[in-house]
Short mmCIF file of all heavy atoms in Angstrom, two decimals:
data_model
loop_
_atom_site.label_atom_id
_atom_site.label_comp_id
_atom_site.label_asym_id
_atom_site.label_seq_id
_atom_site.Cartn_x
_atom_site.Cartn_y
_atom_site.Cartn_z
N MET A 24 177.54 49.62 144.39
CA MET A 24 177.25 48.78 143.21
C MET A 24 176.35 49.53 142.22
O MET A 24 175.34 50.08 142.62
CB MET A 24 176.54 47.51 143.65
CG MET A 24 177.45 46.48 144.33
SD MET A 24 178.59 45.74 143.16
CE MET A 24 177.51 44.62 142.26
N PRO A 25 176.73 49.53 140.95
CA PRO A 25 175.85 50.17 139.96
C PRO A 25 174.56 49.39 139.78
O PRO A 25 174.56 48.16 139.88
CB PRO A 25 176.68 50.14 138.67
CG PRO A 25 177.69 49.08 138.88
CD PRO A 25 177.94 48.98 140.35
N LYS A 26 173.48 50.11 139.57
CA LYS A 26 172.19 49.46 139.36
C LYS A 26 171.80 49.42 137.89
O LYS A 26 170.96 48.64 137.48
CB LYS A 26 171.11 50.23 140.12
CG LYS A 26 171.15 50.02 141.61
CD LYS A 26 169.92 50.61 142.23
CE LYS A 26 169.91 50.47 143.73
NZ LYS A 26 169.02 51.44 144.35
N TYR A 27 172.40 50.32 137.12
CA TYR A 27 172.07 50.42 135.69
C TYR A 27 173.34 50.55 134.88
O TYR A 27 174.33 51.11 135.35
CB TYR A 27 171.19 51.64 135.42
CG TYR A 27 169.93 51.65 136.24
CD1 TYR A 27 169.88 52.35 137.44
CD2 TYR A 27 168.80 50.96 135.82
CE1 TYR A 27 168.73 52.35 138.21
CE2 TYR A 27 167.65 50.95 136.58
CZ TYR A 27 167.62 51.66 137.78
OH TYR A 27 166.48 51.66 138.54
N LYS A 28 173.27 50.04 133.68
CA LYS A 28 174.39 50.11 132.78
C LYS A 28 173.96 50.86 131.52
O LYS A 28 172.88 50.59 130.98
CB LYS A 28 174.78 48.68 132.39
CG LYS A 28 176.24 48.50 132.22
CD LYS A 28 176.51 47.04 131.93
CE LYS A 28 177.96 46.74 132.22
NZ LYS A 28 178.30 45.36 132.00
N VAL A 29 174.79 51.76 131.05
CA VAL A 29 174.53 52.46 129.79
C VAL A 29 175.26 51.71 128.68
O VAL A 29 176.46 51.47 128.78
CB VAL A 29 175.06 53.91 129.84
CG1 VAL A 29 174.89 54.58 128.48
CG2 VAL A 29 174.36 54.70 130.94
N ILE A 30 174.51 51.31 127.67
CA ILE A 30 175.13 50.72 126.48
C ILE A 30 174.95 51.72 125.36
O ILE A 30 173.82 52.05 124.99
CB ILE A 30 174.49 49.37 126.13
CG1 ILE A 30 174.69 48.41 127.31
CG2 ILE A 30 175.11 48.78 124.87
CD1 ILE A 30 173.68 47.31 127.37
N PHE A 31 176.05 52.26 124.89
CA PHE A 31 175.99 53.31 123.89
C PHE A 31 176.55 52.80 122.57
O PHE A 31 177.70 52.39 122.49
CB PHE A 31 176.79 54.53 124.38
CG PHE A 31 176.85 55.63 123.37
CD1 PHE A 31 175.70 56.08 122.74
CD2 PHE A 31 178.06 56.21 123.04
CE1 PHE A 31 175.75 57.09 121.78
CE2 PHE A 31 178.12 57.23 122.09
CZ PHE A 31 176.97 57.66 121.47
N HIS A 32 175.72 52.85 121.54
CA HIS A 32 176.12 52.40 120.20
C HIS A 32 176.58 53.63 119.42
O HIS A 32 175.81 54.26 118.70
CB HIS A 32 174.95 51.70 119.50
CG HIS A 32 174.37 50.57 120.29
ND1 HIS A 32 174.97 49.32 120.33
CD2 HIS A 32 173.28 50.48 121.09
CE1 HIS A 32 174.25 48.52 121.12
NE2 HIS A 32 173.23 49.21 121.59
N ARG A 33 177.86 53.94 119.59
CA ARG A 33 178.39 55.18 119.01
C ARG A 33 178.28 55.18 117.48
O ARG A 33 178.10 56.24 116.87
CB ARG A 33 179.86 55.33 119.42
CG ARG A 33 180.43 56.71 119.12
CD ARG A 33 181.83 56.85 119.68
NE ARG A 33 182.36 58.19 119.48
CZ ARG A 33 182.90 58.61 118.35
NH1 ARG A 33 183.02 57.80 117.32
NH2 ARG A 33 183.35 59.86 118.24
N ASP A 34 178.40 54.00 116.88
CA ASP A 34 178.31 53.91 115.42
C ASP A 34 176.94 54.33 114.89
O ASP A 34 176.82 54.80 113.76
CB ASP A 34 178.64 52.47 114.98
CG ASP A 34 177.78 51.42 115.68
OD1 ASP A 34 177.55 51.56 116.90
OD2 ASP A 34 177.32 50.48 115.01
N LYS A 35 175.92 54.19 115.73
CA LYS A 35 174.57 54.57 115.29
C LYS A 35 174.31 56.06 115.45
O LYS A 35 173.41 56.62 114.82
CB LYS A 35 173.51 53.84 116.14
CG LYS A 35 173.32 52.38 115.82
CD LYS A 35 172.07 51.93 116.58
CE LYS A 35 171.83 50.45 116.51
NZ LYS A 35 170.68 50.07 117.36
N CYS A 36 175.04 56.72 116.34
CA CYS A 36 174.76 58.11 116.71
C CYS A 36 174.90 59.03 115.50
O CYS A 36 175.89 58.98 114.79
CB CYS A 36 175.72 58.54 117.82
SG CYS A 36 175.55 60.27 118.28
N ILE A 37 173.88 59.89 115.31
CA ILE A 37 173.93 60.85 114.20
C ILE A 37 174.20 62.27 114.71
O ILE A 37 174.11 63.23 113.97
CB ILE A 37 172.60 60.83 113.39
CG1 ILE A 37 171.39 61.07 114.31
CG2 ILE A 37 172.47 59.50 112.64
CD1 ILE A 37 170.08 61.34 113.57
N GLY A 38 174.51 62.38 116.00
CA GLY A 38 174.90 63.67 116.56
C GLY A 38 173.80 64.71 116.61
O GLY A 38 174.06 65.91 116.52
N CYS A 39 172.55 64.26 116.78
CA CYS A 39 171.43 65.20 116.76
C CYS A 39 171.37 66.07 118.01
O CYS A 39 170.74 67.12 118.01
CB CYS A 39 170.12 64.44 116.60
SG CYS A 39 169.64 63.51 118.07
N GLY A 40 171.99 65.62 119.08
CA GLY A 40 172.02 66.43 120.31
C GLY A 40 170.80 66.29 121.21
O GLY A 40 170.72 66.96 122.24
N ALA A 41 169.86 65.44 120.84
CA ALA A 41 168.65 65.30 121.66
C ALA A 41 168.97 64.79 123.07
O ALA A 41 168.42 65.28 124.06
CB ALA A 41 167.65 64.37 120.97
N CYS A 42 169.86 63.84 123.15
CA CYS A 42 170.20 63.29 124.48
C CYS A 42 170.89 64.34 125.35
O CYS A 42 170.65 64.40 126.56
CB CYS A 42 171.08 62.05 124.35
SG CYS A 42 172.63 62.34 123.47
N THR A 43 171.70 65.17 124.74
CA THR A 43 172.39 66.20 125.53
C THR A 43 171.41 67.25 126.02
O THR A 43 171.58 67.81 127.10
CB THR A 43 173.52 66.86 124.71
OG1 THR A 43 172.94 67.59 123.64
CG2 THR A 43 174.47 65.83 124.16
N ALA A 44 170.39 67.53 125.22
CA ALA A 44 169.36 68.49 125.64
C ALA A 44 168.51 67.90 126.76
O ALA A 44 168.12 68.58 127.71
CB ALA A 44 168.48 68.88 124.46
N GLN A 45 168.23 66.62 126.64
CA GLN A 45 167.36 65.94 127.60
C GLN A 45 168.08 65.60 128.89
O GLN A 45 167.49 65.61 129.96
CB GLN A 45 166.84 64.64 126.94
CG GLN A 45 165.62 64.04 127.57
CD GLN A 45 164.37 64.87 127.33
OE1 GLN A 45 164.21 65.47 126.28
NE2 GLN A 45 163.51 64.94 128.32
N CYS A 46 169.35 65.31 128.79
CA CYS A 46 170.08 64.80 129.94
C CYS A 46 171.53 65.31 129.97
O CYS A 46 172.48 64.52 129.87
CB CYS A 46 170.05 63.27 129.91
SG CYS A 46 170.60 62.53 131.47
N PRO A 47 171.70 66.62 130.11
CA PRO A 47 173.06 67.17 130.10
C PRO A 47 173.93 66.68 131.25
O PRO A 47 175.15 66.74 131.16
CB PRO A 47 172.84 68.69 130.16
CG PRO A 47 171.46 68.87 130.70
CD PRO A 47 170.67 67.66 130.28
N GLU A 48 173.30 66.16 132.30
CA GLU A 48 174.12 65.70 133.43
C GLU A 48 174.97 64.47 133.06
O GLU A 48 175.99 64.24 133.66
CB GLU A 48 173.28 65.44 134.68
CG GLU A 48 172.42 64.19 134.60
CD GLU A 48 171.57 64.00 135.86
OE1 GLU A 48 171.00 64.99 136.36
OE2 GLU A 48 171.46 62.84 136.31
N ASN A 49 174.53 63.71 132.05
CA ASN A 49 175.36 62.56 131.66
C ASN A 49 175.76 62.53 130.19
O ASN A 49 176.55 61.68 129.80
CB ASN A 49 174.66 61.24 132.03
CG ASN A 49 175.64 60.08 132.11
OD1 ASN A 49 176.77 60.24 132.59
ND2 ASN A 49 175.24 58.92 131.61
N TRP A 50 175.22 63.45 129.38
CA TRP A 50 175.49 63.36 127.94
C TRP A 50 175.99 64.69 127.40
O TRP A 50 175.43 65.74 127.69
CB TRP A 50 174.22 62.93 127.20
CG TRP A 50 173.81 61.54 127.56
CD1 TRP A 50 173.01 61.17 128.62
CD2 TRP A 50 174.25 60.33 126.95
NE1 TRP A 50 172.93 59.80 128.67
CE2 TRP A 50 173.67 59.26 127.66
CE3 TRP A 50 175.06 60.05 125.86
CZ2 TRP A 50 173.89 57.92 127.31
CZ3 TRP A 50 175.28 58.72 125.51
CH2 TRP A 50 174.69 57.67 126.24
N SER A 51 177.04 64.58 126.59
CA SER A 51 177.53 65.76 125.88
C SER A 51 177.96 65.28 124.49
O SER A 51 177.90 64.09 124.18
CB SER A 51 178.70 66.38 126.63
OG SER A 51 179.72 65.43 126.79
N LEU A 52 178.37 66.22 123.65
CA LEU A 52 178.86 65.85 122.33
C LEU A 52 180.39 65.96 122.33
O LEU A 52 180.94 66.90 122.89
CB LEU A 52 178.27 66.76 121.25
CG LEU A 52 176.76 66.65 121.00
CD1 LEU A 52 176.33 67.63 119.92
CD2 LEU A 52 176.34 65.23 120.61
N ASP A 53 181.03 65.00 121.69
CA ASP A 53 182.49 65.04 121.63
C ASP A 53 182.94 65.89 120.44
O ASP A 53 182.12 66.49 119.73
CB ASP A 53 183.08 63.62 121.61
CG ASP A 53 182.77 62.85 120.32
OD1 ASP A 53 182.33 63.48 119.33
OD2 ASP A 53 182.96 61.62 120.31
N LYS A 54 184.23 65.94 120.21
CA LYS A 54 184.78 66.80 119.16
C LYS A 54 184.31 66.41 117.77
O LYS A 54 184.29 67.22 116.86
CB LYS A 54 186.32 66.75 119.20
CG LYS A 54 186.91 67.54 120.33
CD LYS A 54 188.43 67.51 120.23
CE LYS A 54 189.05 67.88 121.56
NZ LYS A 54 190.37 67.31 121.75
N GLU A 55 183.97 65.14 117.63
CA GLU A 55 183.49 64.66 116.33
C GLU A 55 181.98 64.82 116.18
O GLU A 55 181.40 64.39 115.19
CB GLU A 55 183.88 63.19 116.14
CG GLU A 55 185.38 63.00 115.99
CD GLU A 55 185.80 61.54 116.12
OE1 GLU A 55 185.04 60.66 115.70
OE2 GLU A 55 186.88 61.29 116.68
N GLY A 56 181.36 65.41 117.17
CA GLY A 56 179.91 65.64 117.09
C GLY A 56 179.08 64.42 117.43
O GLY A 56 177.89 64.36 117.10
N LYS A 57 179.69 63.45 118.06
CA LYS A 57 178.94 62.26 118.51
C LYS A 57 178.69 62.39 120.01
O LYS A 57 179.48 63.02 120.73
CB LYS A 57 179.77 61.00 118.27
CG LYS A 57 180.08 60.76 116.80
CD LYS A 57 179.25 59.65 116.27
CE LYS A 57 179.70 59.25 114.87
NZ LYS A 57 178.92 58.12 114.36
N ALA A 58 177.63 61.75 120.44
CA ALA A 58 177.32 61.79 121.87
C ALA A 58 178.38 61.08 122.69
O ALA A 58 179.05 60.15 122.20
CB ALA A 58 175.95 61.15 122.11
N LYS A 59 178.51 61.55 123.92
CA LYS A 59 179.50 60.94 124.82
C LYS A 59 178.91 60.90 126.23
O LYS A 59 178.61 61.95 126.80
CB LYS A 59 180.75 61.80 124.79
CG LYS A 59 181.91 61.16 125.48
CD LYS A 59 183.13 62.06 125.36
CE LYS A 59 184.25 61.47 126.17
NZ LYS A 59 185.32 62.42 126.36
N PRO A 60 178.74 59.69 126.76
CA PRO A 60 178.25 59.60 128.13
C PRO A 60 179.39 59.82 129.12
O PRO A 60 180.50 59.36 128.90
CB PRO A 60 177.73 58.16 128.22
CG PRO A 60 178.49 57.40 127.19
CD PRO A 60 178.90 58.37 126.12
N LYS A 61 179.09 60.56 130.17
CA LYS A 61 180.10 60.75 131.22
C LYS A 61 180.26 59.47 132.02
O LYS A 61 181.37 59.08 132.35
CB LYS A 61 179.68 61.88 132.15
CG LYS A 61 179.80 63.24 131.49
CD LYS A 61 179.35 64.37 132.41
CE LYS A 61 179.15 65.63 131.59
NZ LYS A 61 178.11 66.50 132.08
N LYS A 62 179.15 58.85 132.35
CA LYS A 62 179.19 57.61 133.14
C LYS A 62 178.47 56.50 132.40
O LYS A 62 177.40 56.71 131.83
CB LYS A 62 178.47 57.81 134.47
CG LYS A 62 179.23 58.64 135.47
CD LYS A 62 178.46 58.59 136.77
CE LYS A 62 179.07 59.51 137.80
NZ LYS A 62 178.23 59.57 139.00
N LEU A 63 179.05 55.29 132.45
CA LEU A 63 178.41 54.12 131.85
C LEU A 63 177.77 53.23 132.91
O LEU A 63 176.95 52.38 132.61
CB LEU A 63 179.44 53.30 131.06
CG LEU A 63 179.94 53.95 129.77
CD1 LEU A 63 181.07 53.13 129.17
CD2 LEU A 63 178.82 54.10 128.75
N GLU A 64 178.19 53.45 134.15
CA GLU A 64 177.60 52.69 135.25
C GLU A 64 176.90 53.67 136.17
O GLU A 64 177.50 54.65 136.61
CB GLU A 64 178.68 51.91 136.00
CG GLU A 64 179.30 50.85 135.11
CD GLU A 64 180.25 49.93 135.87
OE1 GLU A 64 180.85 50.36 136.86
OE2 GLU A 64 180.34 48.75 135.47
N LEU A 65 175.63 53.39 136.45
CA LEU A 65 174.80 54.35 137.18
C LEU A 65 174.27 53.72 138.45
O LEU A 65 173.89 52.55 138.46
CB LEU A 65 173.61 54.78 136.32
CG LEU A 65 173.90 55.26 134.88
CD1 LEU A 65 172.59 55.39 134.13
CD2 LEU A 65 174.65 56.58 134.89
N THR A 66 174.21 54.52 139.49
CA THR A 66 173.55 54.05 140.71
C THR A 66 172.09 54.48 140.71
O THR A 66 171.26 53.86 141.37
CB THR A 66 174.25 54.58 141.97
OG1 THR A 66 174.43 55.98 141.82
CG2 THR A 66 175.60 53.92 142.17
N SER A 67 171.78 55.53 139.95
CA SER A 67 170.37 55.90 139.77
C SER A 67 170.18 56.34 138.32
O SER A 67 171.12 56.79 137.67
CB SER A 67 169.96 57.00 140.73
OG SER A 67 170.63 58.18 140.39
N LEU A 68 168.96 56.21 137.84
CA LEU A 68 168.69 56.49 136.43
C LEU A 68 168.87 57.96 136.08
O LEU A 68 169.33 58.29 135.00
CB LEU A 68 167.25 56.08 136.10
CG LEU A 68 167.01 54.66 135.65
CD1 LEU A 68 165.52 54.46 135.45
CD2 LEU A 68 167.76 54.33 134.39
N GLY A 69 168.45 58.84 137.00
CA GLY A 69 168.45 60.26 136.68
C GLY A 69 167.65 60.49 135.41
O GLY A 69 166.57 59.92 135.24
N CYS A 70 168.20 61.25 134.48
CA CYS A 70 167.49 61.55 133.23
C CYS A 70 167.92 60.62 132.09
O CYS A 70 167.55 60.84 130.94
CB CYS A 70 167.74 63.00 132.85
SG CYS A 70 169.48 63.46 132.93
N ASN A 71 168.67 59.56 132.41
CA ASN A 71 169.19 58.71 131.34
C ASN A 71 168.10 57.93 130.59
O ASN A 71 168.25 57.63 129.41
CB ASN A 71 170.23 57.75 131.90
CG ASN A 71 171.53 58.46 132.18
OD1 ASN A 71 172.31 58.72 131.27
ND2 ASN A 71 171.76 58.83 133.44
N LYS A 72 167.02 57.62 131.28
CA LYS A 72 165.91 56.92 130.62
C LYS A 72 165.29 57.83 129.55
O LYS A 72 164.95 57.38 128.46
CB LYS A 72 164.85 56.53 131.66
CG LYS A 72 163.94 55.41 131.23
CD LYS A 72 164.66 54.07 131.23
CE LYS A 72 163.82 53.04 130.49
NZ LYS A 72 164.60 51.82 130.22
N GLU A 73 165.18 59.11 129.88
CA GLU A 73 164.64 60.08 128.91
C GLU A 73 165.60 60.20 127.72
O GLU A 73 165.16 60.31 126.57
CB GLU A 73 164.46 61.45 129.57
CG GLU A 73 163.27 61.55 130.51
CD GLU A 73 163.53 61.00 131.91
OE1 GLU A 73 164.63 60.45 132.16
OE2 GLU A 73 162.62 61.11 132.75
N ALA A 74 166.89 60.17 127.99
CA ALA A 74 167.87 60.23 126.89
C ALA A 74 167.70 59.02 125.98
O ALA A 74 167.73 59.13 124.75
CB ALA A 74 169.29 60.29 127.46
N GLU A 75 167.51 57.86 126.59
CA GLU A 75 167.29 56.63 125.81
C GLU A 75 166.04 56.77 124.94
O GLU A 75 166.04 56.44 123.76
CB GLU A 75 167.13 55.44 126.76
CG GLU A 75 166.87 54.12 126.06
CD GLU A 75 166.50 53.00 127.04
OE1 GLU A 75 165.68 53.24 127.95
OE2 GLU A 75 167.03 51.89 126.89
N GLU A 76 164.98 57.31 125.54
CA GLU A 76 163.71 57.40 124.82
C GLU A 76 163.74 58.43 123.69
O GLU A 76 163.10 58.27 122.67
CB GLU A 76 162.58 57.73 125.80
CG GLU A 76 162.15 56.50 126.57
CD GLU A 76 161.34 56.81 127.82
OE1 GLU A 76 160.92 57.97 128.00
OE2 GLU A 76 161.15 55.88 128.63
N VAL A 77 164.50 59.49 123.89
CA VAL A 77 164.48 60.59 122.92
C VAL A 77 165.41 60.32 121.73
O VAL A 77 165.23 60.91 120.66
CB VAL A 77 164.84 61.91 123.64
CG1 VAL A 77 166.34 62.09 123.78
CG2 VAL A 77 164.20 63.09 122.96
N CYS A 78 166.32 59.39 121.86
CA CYS A 78 167.28 59.14 120.77
C CYS A 78 166.55 58.57 119.55
O CYS A 78 165.93 57.51 119.65
CB CYS A 78 168.38 58.18 121.23
SG CYS A 78 169.54 57.83 119.88
N PRO A 79 166.64 59.23 118.40
CA PRO A 79 165.88 58.80 117.23
C PRO A 79 166.43 57.54 116.56
O PRO A 79 165.75 56.94 115.73
CB PRO A 79 165.98 60.00 116.27
CG PRO A 79 167.25 60.68 116.67
CD PRO A 79 167.40 60.47 118.15
N VAL A 80 167.65 57.15 116.90
CA VAL A 80 168.25 55.99 116.22
C VAL A 80 168.57 54.84 117.19
O VAL A 80 169.33 53.93 116.85
CB VAL A 80 169.52 56.41 115.43
CG1 VAL A 80 169.16 57.33 114.28
CG2 VAL A 80 170.54 57.07 116.34
N ASP A 81 168.00 54.92 118.39
CA ASP A 81 168.21 53.87 119.40
C ASP A 81 169.68 53.58 119.67
O ASP A 81 170.08 52.42 119.81
CB ASP A 81 167.49 52.57 118.99
CG ASP A 81 165.98 52.74 118.99
OD1 ASP A 81 165.47 53.56 119.77
OD2 ASP A 81 165.31 52.05 118.19
N ALA A 82 170.45 54.64 119.76
CA ALA A 82 171.88 54.46 120.05
C ALA A 82 172.14 54.27 121.54
O ALA A 82 173.22 53.83 121.92
CB ALA A 82 172.67 55.66 119.54
N ILE A 83 171.14 54.60 122.36
CA ILE A 83 171.32 54.54 123.82
C ILE A 83 170.42 53.45 124.40
O ILE A 83 169.22 53.43 124.12
CB ILE A 83 170.95 55.88 124.48
CG1 ILE A 83 171.86 57.00 123.93
CG2 ILE A 83 171.06 55.79 126.00
CD1 ILE A 83 171.45 58.39 124.39
N GLU A 84 171.04 52.56 125.14
CA GLU A 84 170.27 51.53 125.86
C GLU A 84 170.64 51.62 127.33
O GLU A 84 171.81 51.69 127.67
CB GLU A 84 170.67 50.13 125.39
CG GLU A 84 170.04 49.66 124.12
CD GLU A 84 170.51 48.23 123.82
OE1 GLU A 84 170.10 47.30 124.54
OE2 GLU A 84 171.31 48.08 122.89
N ILE A 85 169.63 51.57 128.17
CA ILE A 85 169.87 51.53 129.62
C ILE A 85 169.36 50.18 130.14
O ILE A 85 168.20 49.85 129.95
CB ILE A 85 169.11 52.66 130.36
CG1 ILE A 85 169.32 54.03 129.68
CG2 ILE A 85 169.52 52.70 131.83
CD1 ILE A 85 170.70 54.59 129.77
N LYS A 86 170.27 49.42 130.71
CA LYS A 86 169.90 48.11 131.24
C LYS A 86 170.03 48.08 132.74
O LYS A 86 170.98 48.64 133.29
CB LYS A 86 170.81 47.03 130.65
CG LYS A 86 170.70 46.93 129.16
CD LYS A 86 170.43 45.51 128.74
CE LYS A 86 169.89 45.52 127.33
NZ LYS A 86 170.23 44.42 126.52
N GLU A 87 169.09 47.41 133.35
CA GLU A 87 169.18 47.20 134.79
C GLU A 87 170.18 46.08 135.06
O GLU A 87 170.16 45.05 134.39
CB GLU A 87 167.80 46.82 135.33
CG GLU A 87 167.62 47.22 136.76
CD GLU A 87 166.15 47.17 137.18
OE1 GLU A 87 165.26 47.31 136.32
OE2 GLU A 87 165.92 46.99 138.38
N VAL A 88 171.06 46.29 136.02
CA VAL A 88 172.03 45.27 136.37
C VAL A 88 171.35 44.29 137.33
O VAL A 88 170.75 44.70 138.32
CB VAL A 88 173.27 45.90 137.05
CG1 VAL A 88 174.26 44.82 137.48
CG2 VAL A 88 173.95 46.89 136.11
N GLN A 89 171.43 43.01 137.01
CA GLN A 89 170.76 42.00 137.84
C GLN A 89 171.62 41.60 139.01
O GLN A 89 172.81 41.51 138.90
CB GLN A 89 170.43 40.76 137.01
CG GLN A 89 169.48 41.03 135.85
CD GLN A 89 168.12 41.56 136.29
OE1 GLN A 89 167.57 41.09 137.30
NE2 GLN A 89 167.58 42.53 135.58
FE1 LIG B 1 173.38 60.55 119.15
FE2 LIG B 1 171.02 59.59 119.90
FE3 LIG B 1 172.22 61.43 121.36
FE4 LIG B 1 171.20 62.07 119.00
S1 LIG B 1 170.06 61.41 120.80
S2 LIG B 1 173.22 62.70 119.79
S3 LIG B 1 171.62 60.22 117.84
S4 LIG B 1 172.95 59.33 121.00
#
């Protein structure tokens, strides 16, 4: 069962690459230069919290699944 959910607001993403630098295990940039999460359902946070915190436009939200 996933413990965390990634909510990614792609429309907000400005393609700065901060999340990919902070958390390459789950974030990369797609062909259009927007961020792309590999996984949206997580069993552990890993570096995704840091990716959420570093995003300058709040495009990344990590929610705990209840
Ligand atoms: Fe997009 Fe935010 Fe990642 Fe920058 S840090 S590439 S704005 S999701």
Side-chain angles (χ1 to χ4, degrees):
M24 285 290 285
K26 286 190 182 159
Y27 304 95
K28 216 176 199 179
V29 175
I30 299 156
F31 176 49
H32 305 281
R33 192 174 184 278
D34 54 318
K35 285 190 187 175
C36 176
I37 55 169
C39 72
C42 58
T43 67
Q45 199 70 35
C46 193
E48 73 182 42
N49 200 38
W50 294 87
S51 57
L52 293 179
D53 68 14
K54 284 184 199 153
E55 292 167 34
K57 298 254 189 178
K59 190 178 174 193
K61 288 178 194 148
K62 286 187 186 174
L63 290 173
E64 294 188 331
L65 309 170
T66 49
S67 68
L68 272 177
C70 48
N71 285 281
K72 201 73 193 168
E73 285 82 356
E75 179 189 44
E76 281 163 11
V77 83
C78 178
V80 293
D81 294 331
I83 300 172
E84 279 182 70
I85 312 292
K86 298 232 162 147
E87 207 165 334
V88 177
Q89 298 299 320

